[in-house]
Amino acid sequence: MATGLLMLAMFTVSYTLLAKTLSKSILTAPMLFIGFGFLMSQTGMFPFQDAEHLLHIVAELALIILLFLDAAQINLQAIRKRHQWPLRMLLIGLPLAVVLGTASAAPFFSAEPLIVAALAAALLAPTDAALGQAVVTNKAVPERVRRALTLESGLNDGLALPVILLFASLAGEMMQPTATNWLVFGAKQVVLGPLVGGVVGAVGGILFLAAKQRKMTTATIEGIGAIAMAGGAYLAAGLVDGNGFISAFVAGLFFGNVIKGQCAFIYEFTESEGQMLAWGAFFLIGLALVPTAISHLDGGSLAIILISLFVVRPLAVWLSLSGTDASPLTKLFFGWFGPRGLATALFALLVVDQIDHEIGEQLLNLAVNAVWISAVLHGVTAVPFAKWYGARMSKQDEAAEMVSVPSMRPETQPD
């Protein structure tokens, strides 16, 4: 395993040296790290059991921290005022994607209760900012469009998770009626998790401000405290049967809007150390999950994934933005750039043990196949499509897309 870790270290160093050049190509970080993980799985340098165990640790840690920090960056006041597009995609488009996805997946799960198709649709609904990085950082794309995509992808995994847990609970109850009451369990998860997260985030934010005002802490130590708070929200929710991931997300939301930008770390980590966590998770997905998923990729699974990418998401976004000032081209742009990533794979890992083993494995393989297929398709199209779209928009100075909007982040205060 030491040789495998050395290879990973060398690959990561090589990528960082070429990162700027690669950002202008069709090769994205998620695509490369998933691909390298799959390649390493064929060498036998990483024992399968060790890789899968490591995946659970790294992936859960990455999700806890990134959910907390993504939520902490959201300025709720700014969202209410001017961010109509992402709000509609979240509050209308996300539920529509689940409904449309359920309808399209149901024929492929005809032998199972409808809730299984709904669970599959919910797993494929969240989008990933990491896979869309080449778009949201491309200055050719109008700022308002980039912010809308960033905001939507940052929030939709946290909003989708309660739905996924509820569907998993219902599926577990329907397929195992004599087992634990999954409906009650699921209800406790999605109710107690947010309550615990809200308390942890709000109290933590108040204490953070008090310490900062009295100059009892420093910028470096504040960052450690923020990470510890995310972990604390996750663990505290588990003690009362609430969901830790939902708790971490809500804690970040409350924390960020209490401190109002007075912690630069929550922005800097996502753009630096957070990248390493995400890369590690993508590598381990390619190493531990992709080989098995590819071996189970059949016509039905491929159809569900392609319909989700090419029909369900674009149609849901188009309908959710009807009546807004978004142009038809922008609706199509939003509809296509909804890549499936870390959340889809990790949420599938979370529910696989809650339902029938065979169905759980089928959904996990579906989710993992959706991630690598999305990484390839969205990675290949990100740079050329973003350049073409940006060029078209730049010729329309009066378009709504060119209007300046307030930042979704609170103004960061200096230490």
Side-chain angles (χ1 to χ4, degrees):
M1 188 171 178
T3 304
L5 289 173
L6 176 60
M7 296 288 288
L8 174 59
M10 293 174 62
F11 180 82
T12 304
V13 170
S14 300
Y15 176 80
T16 60
L17 296 176
L18 298 170
K20 187 173 182 179
T21 301
L22 289 172
S23 68
K24 301 174 183 177
S25 73
I26 63 173
L27 298 175
T28 63
M31 186 194 307
L32 291 171
F33 278 89
I34 290 174
F36 185 67
F38 177 75
L39 181 64
M40 293 299 292
S41 73
Q42 309 303 304
T43 67
M45 291 182 182
F46 282 90
F48 178 78
Q49 295 293 341
D50 292 343
E52 191 167 13
H53 178 67
L54 192 59
L55 169 63
H56 280 269
I57 296 174
V58 172
E60 287 195 17
L61 181 62
L63 193 58
I64 291 166
I65 294 174
L66 295 178
L67 279 173
F68 178 90
L69 295 178
D70 280 348
Q73 295 178 38
I74 303 303
N75 184 338
L76 292 175
Q77 186 176 6
I79 293 175
R80 288 194 297 267
K81 285 182 178 179
R82 291 296 301 276
H83 293 281
Q84 181 189 27
W85 294 348
L87 272 183
R88 288 178 71 109
M89 287 191 286
L90 288 165
L91 301 181
I92 301 175
L94 184 61
L96 271 176
V98 174
V99 172
L100 294 172
T102 301
S104 64
F108 300 96
F109 291 99
S110 56
E112 308 298 338
L114 183 62
I115 195 66
V116 174
L119 180 55
L123 287 170
L124 296 181
T127 60
D128 191 335
L131 281 173
Q133 197 72 13
V135 173
V136 298
T137 60
N138 193 323
K139 296 299 179 64
V141 178
E143 185 180 14
R144 184 181 181 189
V145 175
R146 287 187 282 118
R147 284 185 180 174
L149 282 172
T150 301
L151 180 54
E152 186 215 2
S153 60
L155 281 173
N156 66 9
D157 45 7
L159 296 179
L161 182 55
V163 178
I164 291 169
L165 290 172
L166 178 60
F167 288 172
S169 301
L170 291 172
E173 185 178 22
M174 289 180 181
M175 290 184 282
Q176 304 178 46
T178 59
T180 304
N181 190 329
W182 291 109
L183 183 60
V184 173
F185 173 77
K188 290 172 70 175
Q189 291 260 299
V190 300
V191 171
L192 297 179
L195 288 176
V196 171
V199 172
V200 171
V203 172
I206 292 170
L207 293 176
F208 177 95
L209 288 180
K212 195 172 183 66
Q213 289 167 359
R214 291 167 176 77
K215 301 188 183 302
M216 298 166 62
T217 184
T218 66
T220 302
I221 302 301
E222 290 166 5
I224 297 173
I227 296 296
M229 197 178 306
Y234 174 85
L235 295 171
L239 294 177
V240 295
D241 291 333
N243 184 266
F245 294 104
I246 301 175
S247 178
F249 179 81
V250 174
L253 197 63
F254 274 72
F255 177 75
N257 281 273
V258 168
I259 66 170
K260 298 186 184 303
Q262 297 188 57
C263 180
F265 172 84
I266 63 177
Y267 308 112
E268 295 167 354
F269 182 90
T270 307
E271 296 165 359
S272 53
E273 292 91 341
Q275 293 276 12
M276 183 177 292
L277 270 177
W279 293 349
F282 281 121
F283 167 77
L284 290 169
I285 287 171
L287 178 69
L289 300 182
V290 169
T292 301
I294 289 179
S295 68
H296 289 84
L297 181 61
D298 54 19
S301 297
L302 183 60
I304 293 173
I305 293 167
L306 294 181
I307 291 171
S308 175
L309 295 176
F310 286 97
V311 179
V312 171
R313 159 80 181 184
L315 182 56
V317 168
W318 186 282
L319 293 174
S320 70
L321 294 177
S322 296
T324 68
D325 54 0
S327 69
L329 181 58
T330 296
K331 293 176 186 177
L332 291 174
F333 189 79
F334 282 145
W336 173 240
F337 283 111
R340 305 335 185 249
L342 202 54
T344 292
L346 298 190
F347 291 166
L349 278 172
L350 287 179
V351 304
V352 69
D353 293 328
Q354 295 187 23
I355 59 178
D356 176 79
H357 177 73
E358 185 176 344
I359 297 299
E361 289 295 328
Q362 185 179 353
L363 291 177
L364 177 60
N365 290 327
L366 176 70
V368 173
N369 280 320
V371 171
W372 76 258
I373 290 173
S374 178
V376 172
L377 293 179
H378 289 102
V380 167
T381 58
V383 172
F385 193 7
K387 286 183 177 178
W388 177 81
Y389 170 78
R392 290 288 299 270
M393 285 294 106
S394 65
K395 298 175 182 178
Q396 304 177 36
D397 294 336
E398 302 300 320
E401 287 78 1
M402 307 305 290
V403 174
S404 176
V405 292
S407 173
M408 64 183 178
R409 297 175 175 180
E411 291 297 323
T412 305
Q413 301 297 322
D415 286 318

